[in-house]
Amino acid sequence: METKVAVISIILENQDAVEPMNALLHEYGSHIIGRMGIPYKARNMNVISIALDAELDTINELTSKIDALPGVGAKTVVSA
């Protein structure tokens, strides 16, 4: 099946969600190209970008799982 390049943008406001999110990223690690995390201490949150190359179903599945974590929001941009 065809793969797409995508970026998942994540705002993490609940520090208790860090471990479950990292577990998800580890689970999908074979698809991840790179990751950038910026701690924003003034607002007690983290801004994270995940670049990946995967089938669209896999991208959507990971985005949904991340977005379902309490205090975490995730949106995705996918290549054409």
Side-chain angles (χ1 to χ4, degrees):
M1 221 167 156
E2 181 186 4
T3 63
K4 301 280 188 176
V5 173
V7 176
I8 303 174
S9 297
I10 304 164
I11 302 290
L12 188 143
E13 298 179 279
N14 176 5
Q15 297 306 311
D16 292 335
V18 170
E19 251 184 72
M21 191 188 68
N22 282 333
L24 283 172
L25 296 179
H26 179 74
E27 181 181 337
Y28 288 83
S30 63
H31 304 289
I32 294 175
I33 300 166
R35 169 184 178 172
M36 178 181 66
I38 303 168
Y40 188 14
K41 293 182 182 185
R43 299 282 299 263
N44 196 32
M45 65 173 54
N46 295 293
V47 180
I48 303 162
S49 296
I50 308 294
L52 38 124
D53 187 347
E55 294 176 0
L56 191 54
D57 288 347
T58 302
I59 295 165
N60 290 333
E61 183 178 279
L62 177 56
T63 303
S64 294
K65 287 180 178 182
I66 292 170
D67 196 47
L69 295 171
V72 181
K75 299 292 180 196
T76 302
V77 178
V78 181
S79 64

